[in-house]
Amino acid sequence: MTISAVGGLALAGAGTAAAAAPRHCVADIATCFSSEAQVDAFRPAGTAAWTELVRLYDGYNYSGDTYSLGSSEISSCTASTGNVDAQAANLGEFRNRTSSFVTRERCDAKLFDHTGFGGGSTGYLDHSTDLRTIGFNNKAESLLSS
Ligand SMILES: [Ca+2]
Ligand SMILES: [Ca+2]
């Protein structure tokens, strides 16, 4: 299953000199929200269901801009990490930004240094409040979810 590609992710501060409020963006659609509660309520137009599987944060301890990856094809990951349930080969404009992340729906995520699941990786993790602790801050460019 593919976690849908980035669509028009707007970066905080783009085009402005001042620090912007955090933006909370969702894959599948070129839409960002001003709160995480709005992300929680998000469903893409025309889909009966969409399930968030992984939420990436630009800051430590689940802070700052967010980028949510989900699927309209599966509603949870299998219990085993021996199979890939979903994938995102290119985190787009969120590449090299993730500093903490959390997974949902029984998923674990493996972050990769390069697009296309290349370079070093984290191994499967349920979450991380601070990717500095494993030397992976601002490195992730693709991920597998299992
Ligand atoms: Ca970051
Ligand atoms: Ca990288």
Side-chain angles (χ1 to χ4, degrees):
M1 301 298 173
T2 297
I3 302 177
S4 297
V6 176
L9 177 65
L11 299 176
T16 63
R23 296 178 63 81
H24 305 287
C25 301
V26 178
D28 277 319
I29 192 169
T31 297
C32 297
F33 302 103
S34 59
S35 77
E36 290 190 70
Q38 290 170 291
V39 173
D40 293 339
F42 168 77
R43 296 292 176 276
T47 60
W50 184 85
T51 304
E52 179 180 37
L53 303 176
V54 183
R55 187 173 296 188
L56 307 177
Y57 292 81
D58 194 14
Y60 310 114
N61 298 314
Y62 316 133
S63 66
D65 290 352
T66 67
Y67 188 56
S68 296
L69 297 163
S71 176
S72 55
E73 301 171 42
I74 61 171
S75 58
S76 69
C77 291
T78 59
S80 169
T81 55
N83 63 315
V84 173
D85 294 309
Q87 62 185 44
N90 188 335
L91 295 176
E93 293 185 52
F94 217 77
R95 283 175 296 169
N96 300 319
R97 290 185 66 187
T98 303
S99 296
S100 59
F101 75 94
V102 64
T103 62
R104 306 266 166 92
E105 310 300 340
R106 297 197 308 181
C107 295
D108 290 321
K110 179 188 284 190
L111 311 181
F112 290 84
D113 193 5
H114 300 153
T115 58
F117 321 112
S121 66
T122 59
Y124 280 110
L125 299 171
D126 178 66
H127 70 284
S128 173
T129 58
D130 187 344
L131 285 167
R132 289 177 297 191
T133 62
I134 56 170
F136 223 78
N137 185 44
N138 294 335
K139 282 190 173 182
E141 296 183 53
S142 59
L143 69 81
L144 296 176
S145 188
S146 183

